[in-house]
Every structure is written in structure tokens, then in C-alpha cells.
PDB file of all heavy atoms in Angstrom:
ATOM      1  N   ARG A  25     140.325 140.945 122.394  1.00 94.00           N
ATOM      2  CA  ARG A  25     140.041 139.520 122.525  1.00 94.00           C
ATOM      3  C   ARG A  25     138.953 139.079 121.556  1.00 94.00           C
ATOM      4  O   ARG A  25     137.882 139.685 121.469  1.00 94.00           O
ATOM      5  CB  ARG A  25     139.615 139.209 123.977  1.00 94.00           C
ATOM      6  CG  ARG A  25     139.378 137.726 124.226  1.00 94.00           C
ATOM      7  CD  ARG A  25     139.000 137.488 125.689  1.00 94.00           C
ATOM      8  NE  ARG A  25     138.749 136.069 125.914  1.00 94.00           N
ATOM      9  CZ  ARG A  25     138.399 135.572 127.084  1.00 94.00           C
ATOM     10  NH1 ARG A  25     138.199 136.390 128.136  1.00 94.00           N
ATOM     11  NH2 ARG A  25     138.202 134.270 127.231  1.00 94.00           N
ATOM     12  N   TYR A  26     139.200 138.003 120.809  1.00 95.00           N
ATOM     13  CA  TYR A  26     138.275 137.530 119.833  1.00 95.00           C
ATOM     14  C   TYR A  26     137.147 136.689 120.422  1.00 95.00           C
ATOM     15  O   TYR A  26     137.403 135.899 121.349  1.00 95.00           O
ATOM     16  CB  TYR A  26     138.972 136.679 118.749  1.00 95.00           C
ATOM     17  CG  TYR A  26     140.160 137.312 118.108  1.00 95.00           C
ATOM     18  CD1 TYR A  26     141.250 136.574 117.716  1.00 95.00           C
ATOM     19  CD2 TYR A  26     140.179 138.677 117.845  1.00 95.00           C
ATOM     20  CE1 TYR A  26     142.333 137.155 117.079  1.00 95.00           C
ATOM     21  CE2 TYR A  26     141.269 139.298 117.237  1.00 95.00           C
ATOM     22  CZ  TYR A  26     142.341 138.527 116.863  1.00 95.00           C
ATOM     23  OH  TYR A  26     143.427 139.078 116.264  1.00 95.00           O
ATOM     24  N   ASN A  27     135.956 136.849 119.897  1.00 93.00           N
ATOM     25  CA  ASN A  27     134.860 135.928 120.215  1.00 93.00           C
ATOM     26  C   ASN A  27     134.860 134.814 119.153  1.00 93.00           C
ATOM     27  O   ASN A  27     134.360 134.994 118.054  1.00 93.00           O
ATOM     28  CB  ASN A  27     133.509 136.673 120.215  1.00 93.00           C
ATOM     29  CG  ASN A  27     132.367 135.791 120.664  1.00 93.00           C
ATOM     30  OD1 ASN A  27     132.328 134.567 120.440  1.00 93.00           O
ATOM     31  ND2 ASN A  27     131.400 136.415 121.347  1.00 93.00           N
ATOM     32  N   MET A  28     135.467 133.662 119.485  1.00 91.00           N
ATOM     33  CA  MET A  28     135.668 132.631 118.493  1.00 91.00           C
ATOM     34  C   MET A  28     134.370 131.933 118.061  1.00 91.00           C
ATOM     35  O   MET A  28     134.299 131.349 117.002  1.00 91.00           O
ATOM     36  CB  MET A  28     136.670 131.598 118.976  1.00 91.00           C
ATOM     37  CG  MET A  28     138.128 132.166 119.079  1.00 91.00           C
ATOM     38  SD  MET A  28     138.681 132.924 117.527  1.00 91.00           S
ATOM     39  CE  MET A  28     138.714 131.490 116.441  1.00 91.00           C
ATOM     40  N   LEU A  29     133.338 132.033 118.920  1.00 91.00           N
ATOM     41  CA  LEU A  29     132.057 131.498 118.500  1.00 91.00           C
ATOM     42  C   LEU A  29     131.528 132.282 117.324  1.00 91.00           C
ATOM     43  O   LEU A  29     130.933 131.699 116.371  1.00 91.00           O
ATOM     44  CB  LEU A  29     131.058 131.540 119.663  1.00 91.00           C
ATOM     45  CG  LEU A  29     131.252 130.502 120.767  1.00 91.00           C
ATOM     46  CD1 LEU A  29     130.299 130.773 121.935  1.00 91.00           C
ATOM     47  CD2 LEU A  29     131.059 129.083 120.246  1.00 91.00           C
ATOM     48  N   LEU A  30     131.746 133.594 117.311  1.00 92.00           N
ATOM     49  CA  LEU A  30     131.278 134.449 116.201  1.00 92.00           C
ATOM     50  C   LEU A  30     132.217 134.366 115.028  1.00 92.00           C
ATOM     51  O   LEU A  30     131.766 134.280 113.898  1.00 92.00           O
ATOM     52  CB  LEU A  30     131.098 135.879 116.697  1.00 92.00           C
ATOM     53  CG  LEU A  30     130.083 136.192 117.757  1.00 92.00           C
ATOM     54  CD1 LEU A  30     130.114 137.651 118.139  1.00 92.00           C
ATOM     55  CD2 LEU A  30     128.683 135.764 117.296  1.00 92.00           C
ATOM     56  N   LEU A  31     133.525 134.450 115.308  1.00 92.00           N
ATOM     57  CA  LEU A  31     134.491 134.534 114.223  1.00 92.00           C
ATOM     58  C   LEU A  31     134.877 133.152 113.634  1.00 92.00           C
ATOM     59  O   LEU A  31     135.291 133.089 112.500  1.00 92.00           O
ATOM     60  CB  LEU A  31     135.768 135.264 114.717  1.00 92.00           C
ATOM     61  CG  LEU A  31     135.586 136.715 115.103  1.00 92.00           C
ATOM     62  CD1 LEU A  31     136.951 137.277 115.557  1.00 92.00           C
ATOM     63  CD2 LEU A  31     135.029 137.519 113.984  1.00 92.00           C
ATOM     64  N   GLY A  32     134.765 132.103 114.432  1.00 88.00           N
ATOM     65  CA  GLY A  32     135.187 130.771 113.985  1.00 88.00           C
ATOM     66  C   GLY A  32     134.064 129.827 113.597  1.00 88.00           C
ATOM     67  O   GLY A  32     134.092 129.194 112.550  1.00 88.00           O
ATOM     68  N   TYR A  33     133.054 129.741 114.445  1.00 85.00           N
ATOM     69  CA  TYR A  33     132.026 128.735 114.238  1.00 85.00           C
ATOM     70  C   TYR A  33     130.822 129.235 113.471  1.00 85.00           C
ATOM     71  O   TYR A  33     130.221 128.495 112.685  1.00 85.00           O
ATOM     72  CB  TYR A  33     131.627 128.139 115.594  1.00 85.00           C
ATOM     73  CG  TYR A  33     132.839 127.599 116.331  1.00 85.00           C
ATOM     74  CD1 TYR A  33     133.288 128.170 117.503  1.00 85.00           C
ATOM     75  CD2 TYR A  33     133.576 126.564 115.767  1.00 85.00           C
ATOM     76  CE1 TYR A  33     134.435 127.683 118.122  1.00 85.00           C
ATOM     77  CE2 TYR A  33     134.720 126.077 116.371  1.00 85.00           C
ATOM     78  CZ  TYR A  33     135.137 126.652 117.571  1.00 85.00           C
ATOM     79  OH  TYR A  33     136.279 126.169 118.182  1.00 85.00           O
ATOM     80  N   LEU A  34     130.448 130.504 113.670  1.00 87.00           N
ATOM     81  CA  LEU A  34     129.342 131.061 112.919  1.00 87.00           C
ATOM     82  C   LEU A  34     129.523 130.889 111.391  1.00 87.00           C
ATOM     83  O   LEU A  34     128.616 130.423 110.678  1.00 87.00           O
ATOM     84  CB  LEU A  34     129.172 132.531 113.281  1.00 87.00           C
ATOM     85  CG  LEU A  34     128.164 133.323 112.388  1.00 87.00           C
ATOM     86  CD1 LEU A  34     126.763 132.857 112.651  1.00 87.00           C
ATOM     87  CD2 LEU A  34     128.297 134.836 112.672  1.00 87.00           C
ATOM     88  N   PRO A  35     130.721 131.236 110.849  1.00 89.00           N
ATOM     89  CA  PRO A  35     130.884 131.126 109.392  1.00 89.00           C
ATOM     90  C   PRO A  35     130.840 129.662 108.888  1.00 89.00           C
ATOM     91  O   PRO A  35     130.417 129.453 107.748  1.00 89.00           O
ATOM     92  CB  PRO A  35     132.278 131.694 109.160  1.00 89.00           C
ATOM     93  CG  PRO A  35     132.554 132.560 110.328  1.00 89.00           C
ATOM     94  CD  PRO A  35     131.900 131.856 111.459  1.00 89.00           C
ATOM     95  N   ASN A  36     131.194 128.670 109.736  1.00 83.00           N
ATOM     96  CA  ASN A  36     131.122 127.321 109.314  1.00 83.00           C
ATOM     97  C   ASN A  36     129.692 126.782 109.291  1.00 83.00           C
ATOM     98  O   ASN A  36     129.297 126.034 108.417  1.00 83.00           O
ATOM     99  CB  ASN A  36     131.995 126.438 110.223  1.00 83.00           C
ATOM    100  CG  ASN A  36     133.465 126.494 109.868  1.00 83.00           C
ATOM    101  OD1 ASN A  36     133.855 125.964 108.828  1.00 83.00           O
ATOM    102  ND2 ASN A  36     134.259 127.160 110.685  1.00 83.00           N
ATOM    103  N   PHE A  37     128.893 127.181 110.290  1.00 83.00           N
ATOM    104  CA  PHE A  37     127.482 126.765 110.318  1.00 83.00           C
ATOM    105  C   PHE A  37     126.610 127.575 109.374  1.00 83.00           C
ATOM    106  O   PHE A  37     125.658 127.046 108.776  1.00 83.00           O
ATOM    107  CB  PHE A  37     126.954 126.917 111.758  1.00 83.00           C
ATOM    108  CG  PHE A  37     127.445 125.841 112.711  1.00 83.00           C
ATOM    109  CD1 PHE A  37     128.165 126.197 113.798  1.00 83.00           C
ATOM    110  CD2 PHE A  37     127.205 124.495 112.423  1.00 83.00           C
ATOM    111  CE1 PHE A  37     128.652 125.221 114.683  1.00 83.00           C
ATOM    112  CE2 PHE A  37     127.677 123.525 113.310  1.00 83.00           C
ATOM    113  CZ  PHE A  37     128.387 123.882 114.432  1.00 83.00           C
ATOM    114  N   PHE A  38     126.909 128.894 109.209  1.00 87.00           N
ATOM    115  CA  PHE A  38     126.066 129.774 108.419  1.00 87.00           C
ATOM    116  C   PHE A  38     126.954 130.579 107.468  1.00 87.00           C
ATOM    117  O   PHE A  38     127.073 131.800 107.613  1.00 87.00           O
ATOM    118  CB  PHE A  38     125.254 130.683 109.339  1.00 87.00           C
ATOM    119  CG  PHE A  38     124.477 129.978 110.384  1.00 87.00           C
ATOM    120  CD1 PHE A  38     124.880 129.970 111.709  1.00 87.00           C
ATOM    121  CD2 PHE A  38     123.299 129.252 110.061  1.00 87.00           C
ATOM    122  CE1 PHE A  38     124.182 129.325 112.688  1.00 87.00           C
ATOM    123  CE2 PHE A  38     122.579 128.598 111.024  1.00 87.00           C
ATOM    124  CZ  PHE A  38     123.015 128.619 112.356  1.00 87.00           C
ATOM    125  N   PRO A  39     127.587 129.973 106.483  1.00 85.00           N
ATOM    126  CA  PRO A  39     128.515 130.687 105.600  1.00 85.00           C
ATOM    127  C   PRO A  39     127.885 131.824 104.839  1.00 85.00           C
ATOM    128  O   PRO A  39     128.538 132.868 104.643  1.00 85.00           O
ATOM    129  CB  PRO A  39     129.043 129.609 104.676  1.00 85.00           C
ATOM    130  CG  PRO A  39     128.032 128.489 104.755  1.00 85.00           C
ATOM    131  CD  PRO A  39     127.464 128.552 106.124  1.00 85.00           C
ATOM    132  N   ARG A  40     126.634 131.674 104.410  1.00 85.00           N
ATOM    133  CA  ARG A  40     126.015 132.762 103.655  1.00 85.00           C
ATOM    134  C   ARG A  40     125.729 133.965 104.505  1.00 85.00           C
ATOM    135  O   ARG A  40     125.806 135.117 104.088  1.00 85.00           O
ATOM    136  CB  ARG A  40     124.708 132.266 103.006  1.00 85.00           C
ATOM    137  CG  ARG A  40     124.964 131.236 101.891  1.00 85.00           C
ATOM    138  CD  ARG A  40     123.694 130.819 101.217  1.00 85.00           C
ATOM    139  NE  ARG A  40     123.943 129.831 100.157  1.00 85.00           N
ATOM    140  CZ  ARG A  40     122.982 129.274  99.430  1.00 85.00           C
ATOM    141  NH1 ARG A  40     121.708 129.596  99.630  1.00 85.00           N
ATOM    142  NH2 ARG A  40     123.305 128.394  98.501  1.00 85.00           N
ATOM    143  N   LEU A  41     125.404 133.726 105.793  1.00 88.00           N
ATOM    144  CA  LEU A  41     125.208 134.817 106.730  1.00 88.00           C
ATOM    145  C   LEU A  41     126.513 135.573 106.929  1.00 88.00           C
ATOM    146  O   LEU A  41     126.550 136.820 106.976  1.00 88.00           O
ATOM    147  CB  LEU A  41     124.672 134.294 108.050  1.00 88.00           C
ATOM    148  CG  LEU A  41     124.543 135.316 109.204  1.00 88.00           C
ATOM    149  CD1 LEU A  41     123.561 136.418 108.823  1.00 88.00           C
ATOM    150  CD2 LEU A  41     124.104 134.605 110.499  1.00 88.00           C
ATOM    151  N   ALA A  42     127.619 134.833 107.087  1.00 89.00           N
ATOM    152  CA  ALA A  42     128.913 135.481 107.318  1.00 89.00           C
ATOM    153  C   ALA A  42     129.279 136.389 106.166  1.00 89.00           C
ATOM    154  O   ALA A  42     129.890 137.450 106.376  1.00 89.00           O
ATOM    155  CB  ALA A  42     129.960 134.404 107.510  1.00 89.00           C
ATOM    156  N   GLU A  43     128.928 136.018 104.912  1.00 88.00           N
ATOM    157  CA  GLU A  43     129.266 136.833 103.766  1.00 88.00           C
ATOM    158  C   GLU A  43     128.517 138.158 103.749  1.00 88.00           C
ATOM    159  O   GLU A  43     128.946 139.084 103.061  1.00 88.00           O
ATOM    160  CB  GLU A  43     128.965 136.061 102.473  1.00 88.00           C
ATOM    161  CG  GLU A  43     129.946 134.936 102.199  1.00 88.00           C
ATOM    162  CD  GLU A  43     129.809 134.363 100.810  1.00 88.00           C
ATOM    163  OE1 GLU A  43     128.922 134.885 100.048  1.00 88.00           O
ATOM    164  OE2 GLU A  43     130.531 133.460 100.429  1.00 88.00           O
ATOM    165  N   ARG A  44     127.425 138.270 104.527  1.00 92.00           N
ATOM    166  CA  ARG A  44     126.643 139.513 104.528  1.00 92.00           C
ATOM    167  C   ARG A  44     127.035 140.457 105.678  1.00 92.00           C
ATOM    168  O   ARG A  44     126.524 141.581 105.768  1.00 92.00           O
ATOM    169  CB  ARG A  44     125.150 139.173 104.622  1.00 92.00           C
ATOM    170  CG  ARG A  44     124.611 138.544 103.329  1.00 92.00           C
ATOM    171  CD  ARG A  44     123.083 138.602 103.311  1.00 92.00           C
ATOM    172  NE  ARG A  44     122.505 137.633 104.224  1.00 92.00           N
ATOM    173  CZ  ARG A  44     122.157 136.407 103.868  1.00 92.00           C
ATOM    174  NH1 ARG A  44     122.389 135.967 102.638  1.00 92.00           N
ATOM    175  NH2 ARG A  44     121.597 135.571 104.726  1.00 92.00           N
ATOM    176  N   ILE A  45     127.985 140.026 106.503  1.00 95.00           N
ATOM    177  CA  ILE A  45     128.390 140.853 107.647  1.00 95.00           C
ATOM    178  C   ILE A  45     129.440 141.846 107.179  1.00 95.00           C
ATOM    179  O   ILE A  45     130.455 141.500 106.562  1.00 95.00           O
ATOM    180  CB  ILE A  45     128.934 139.990 108.766  1.00 95.00           C
ATOM    181  CG1 ILE A  45     127.823 139.130 109.357  1.00 95.00           C
ATOM    182  CG2 ILE A  45     129.575 140.859 109.861  1.00 95.00           C
ATOM    183  CD1 ILE A  45     128.300 138.144 110.401  1.00 95.00           C
ATOM    184  N   LYS A  46     129.186 143.138 107.451  1.00 96.00           N
ATOM    185  CA  LYS A  46     130.096 144.214 107.027  1.00 96.00           C
ATOM    186  C   LYS A  46     131.170 144.411 108.098  1.00 96.00           C
ATOM    187  O   LYS A  46     130.898 144.402 109.296  1.00 96.00           O
ATOM    188  CB  LYS A  46     129.358 145.505 106.801  1.00 96.00           C
ATOM    189  CG  LYS A  46     128.321 145.435 105.668  1.00 96.00           C
ATOM    190  CD  LYS A  46     128.980 145.065 104.335  1.00 96.00           C
ATOM    191  CE  LYS A  46     127.982 144.984 103.230  1.00 96.00           C
ATOM    192  NZ  LYS A  46     128.642 144.597 101.923  1.00 96.00           N
ATOM    193  N   ASP A  47     132.407 144.628 107.658  1.00 96.00           N
ATOM    194  CA  ASP A  47     133.521 144.680 108.614  1.00 96.00           C
ATOM    195  C   ASP A  47     133.780 146.067 109.172  1.00 96.00           C
ATOM    196  O   ASP A  47     134.850 146.304 109.735  1.00 96.00           O
ATOM    197  CB  ASP A  47     134.790 144.070 108.035  1.00 96.00           C
ATOM    198  CG  ASP A  47     135.327 144.819 106.825  1.00 96.00           C
ATOM    199  OD1 ASP A  47     134.784 145.866 106.498  1.00 96.00           O
ATOM    200  OD2 ASP A  47     136.313 144.320 106.223  1.00 96.00           O
ATOM    201  N   ASP A  48     132.824 146.992 109.050  1.00 96.00           N
ATOM    202  CA  ASP A  48     132.918 148.256 109.792  1.00 96.00           C
ATOM    203  C   ASP A  48     132.121 148.144 111.100  1.00 96.00           C
ATOM    204  O   ASP A  48     131.974 149.133 111.825  1.00 96.00           O
ATOM    205  CB  ASP A  48     132.397 149.418 108.963  1.00 96.00           C
ATOM    206  CG  ASP A  48     130.955 149.249 108.480  1.00 96.00           C
ATOM    207  OD1 ASP A  48     130.339 148.181 108.781  1.00 96.00           O
ATOM    208  OD2 ASP A  48     130.451 150.150 107.793  1.00 96.00           O
ATOM    209  N   TRP A  49     131.676 146.920 111.423  1.00 96.00           N
ATOM    210  CA  TRP A  49     131.022 146.658 112.701  1.00 96.00           C
ATOM    211  C   TRP A  49     132.107 146.269 113.668  1.00 96.00           C
ATOM    212  O   TRP A  49     132.405 145.104 113.906  1.00 96.00           O
ATOM    213  CB  TRP A  49     129.999 145.538 112.515  1.00 96.00           C
ATOM    214  CG  TRP A  49     129.187 145.198 113.720  1.00 96.00           C
ATOM    215  CD1 TRP A  49     129.075 145.914 114.857  1.00 96.00           C
ATOM    216  CD2 TRP A  49     128.354 144.046 113.870  1.00 96.00           C
ATOM    217  NE1 TRP A  49     128.230 145.302 115.751  1.00 96.00           N
ATOM    218  CE2 TRP A  49     127.762 144.166 115.164  1.00 96.00           C
ATOM    219  CE3 TRP A  49     128.031 142.980 113.076  1.00 96.00           C
ATOM    220  CZ2 TRP A  49     126.896 143.174 115.655  1.00 96.00           C
ATOM    221  CZ3 TRP A  49     127.159 142.008 113.552  1.00 96.00           C
ATOM    222  CH2 TRP A  49     126.599 142.107 114.822  1.00 96.00           C
ATOM    223  N   TYR A  50     132.766 147.282 114.237  1.00 97.00           N
ATOM    224  CA  TYR A  50     133.998 147.097 115.003  1.00 97.00           C
ATOM    225  C   TYR A  50     133.820 146.174 116.233  1.00 97.00           C
ATOM    226  O   TYR A  50     134.735 145.372 116.518  1.00 97.00           O
ATOM    227  CB  TYR A  50     134.596 148.432 115.424  1.00 97.00           C
ATOM    228  CG  TYR A  50     134.988 149.329 114.290  1.00 97.00           C
ATOM    229  CD1 TYR A  50     134.956 150.712 114.382  1.00 97.00           C
ATOM    230  CD2 TYR A  50     135.435 148.755 113.067  1.00 97.00           C
ATOM    231  CE1 TYR A  50     135.348 151.524 113.348  1.00 97.00           C
ATOM    232  CE2 TYR A  50     135.834 149.588 112.026  1.00 97.00           C
ATOM    233  CZ  TYR A  50     135.787 150.958 112.136  1.00 97.00           C
ATOM    234  OH  TYR A  50     136.155 151.759 111.113  1.00 97.00           O
ATOM    235  N   PRO A  51     132.728 146.211 116.976  1.00 96.00           N
ATOM    236  CA  PRO A  51     132.622 145.338 118.142  1.00 96.00           C
ATOM    237  C   PRO A  51     132.631 143.864 117.754  1.00 96.00           C
ATOM    238  O   PRO A  51     133.245 143.030 118.439  1.00 96.00           O
ATOM    239  CB  PRO A  51     131.290 145.712 118.778  1.00 96.00           C
ATOM    240  CG  PRO A  51     131.018 147.118 118.317  1.00 96.00           C
ATOM    241  CD  PRO A  51     131.619 147.196 116.950  1.00 96.00           C
ATOM    242  N   PHE A  52     132.027 143.515 116.648  1.00 96.00           N
ATOM    243  CA  PHE A  52     131.984 142.132 116.176  1.00 96.00           C
ATOM    244  C   PHE A  52     133.367 141.609 115.896  1.00 96.00           C
ATOM    245  O   PHE A  52     133.704 140.450 116.207  1.00 96.00           O
ATOM    246  CB  PHE A  52     131.113 142.049 114.926  1.00 96.00           C
ATOM    247  CG  PHE A  52     130.862 140.633 114.435  1.00 96.00           C
ATOM    248  CD1 PHE A  52     129.754 139.937 114.866  1.00 96.00           C
ATOM    249  CD2 PHE A  52     131.754 140.041 113.566  1.00 96.00           C
ATOM    250  CE1 PHE A  52     129.521 138.637 114.417  1.00 96.00           C
ATOM    251  CE2 PHE A  52     131.537 138.746 113.108  1.00 96.00           C
ATOM    252  CZ  PHE A  52     130.427 138.059 113.532  1.00 96.00           C
ATOM    253  N   PHE A  53     134.233 142.451 115.327  1.00 96.00           N
ATOM    254  CA  PHE A  53     135.582 142.027 114.915  1.00 96.00           C
ATOM    255  C   PHE A  53     136.664 142.408 115.926  1.00 96.00           C
ATOM    256  O   PHE A  53     137.830 142.359 115.598  1.00 96.00           O
ATOM    257  CB  PHE A  53     135.895 142.631 113.567  1.00 96.00           C
ATOM    258  CG  PHE A  53     135.071 142.098 112.429  1.00 96.00           C
ATOM    259  CD1 PHE A  53     133.901 142.745 111.992  1.00 96.00           C
ATOM    260  CD2 PHE A  53     135.419 140.896 111.796  1.00 96.00           C
ATOM    261  CE1 PHE A  53     133.150 142.221 110.968  1.00 96.00           C
ATOM    262  CE2 PHE A  53     134.687 140.391 110.748  1.00 96.00           C
ATOM    263  CZ  PHE A  53     133.523 141.061 110.327  1.00 96.00           C
ATOM    264  N   SER A  54     136.281 142.825 117.121  1.00 96.00           N
ATOM    265  CA  SER A  54     137.227 143.155 118.180  1.00 96.00           C
ATOM    266  C   SER A  54     138.172 144.304 117.753  1.00 96.00           C
ATOM    267  O   SER A  54     139.364 144.234 117.988  1.00 96.00           O
ATOM    268  CB  SER A  54     138.046 141.921 118.560  1.00 96.00           C
ATOM    269  OG  SER A  54     137.216 140.839 118.967  1.00 96.00           O
ATOM    270  N   ARG A  55     137.601 145.325 117.160  1.00 97.00           N
ATOM    271  CA  ARG A  55     138.391 146.442 116.653  1.00 97.00           C
ATOM    272  C   ARG A  55     137.873 147.800 117.116  1.00 97.00           C
ATOM    273  O   ARG A  55     137.848 148.766 116.350  1.00 97.00           O
ATOM    274  CB  ARG A  55     138.436 146.393 115.129  1.00 97.00           C
ATOM    275  CG  ARG A  55     139.533 145.497 114.535  1.00 97.00           C
ATOM    276  CD  ARG A  55     140.900 145.966 114.981  1.00 97.00           C
ATOM    277  NE  ARG A  55     141.985 145.220 114.294  1.00 97.00           N
ATOM    278  CZ  ARG A  55     143.277 145.407 114.528  1.00 97.00           C
ATOM    279  NH1 ARG A  55     143.627 146.306 115.455  1.00 97.00           N
ATOM    280  NH2 ARG A  55     144.175 144.726 113.906  1.00 97.00           N
TER     281      ARG A  55
END
């Protein structure tokens, strides 16, 4: 199940922060 506040709205409010998130952080990406 996705956390849409993290995956959808965080990148719109803080796009530069989203670019620094590494996608081996499995809990963040529901993986």
C-alpha cells in the first residue's frame, strides 16, 4: 500500500528534497 502523502504530495511541495531520496529505502517506496 502506497503512502500518497510521501509519494504524491511531498515531491510537489519539496521537489529538490524528493530528488535526493534514494530508492533502496524500501519502506518509503512500499517495497
Side-chain angles (χ1 to χ4, degrees):
R25 184 178 179 181
Y26 306 146
N27 186 327
M28 292 306 295
L29 286 173
L30 296 178
L31 296 182
Y33 304 115
L34 171 69
N36 279 290
F37 286 119
F38 307 105
R40 292 184 180 178
L41 174 61
E43 287 192 359
R44 290 196 285 270
I45 294 175
K46 298 300 181 183
D47 64 5
D48 58 359
W49 184 12
Y50 298 150
F52 186 92
F53 292 95
S54 304
R55 274 300 187 183

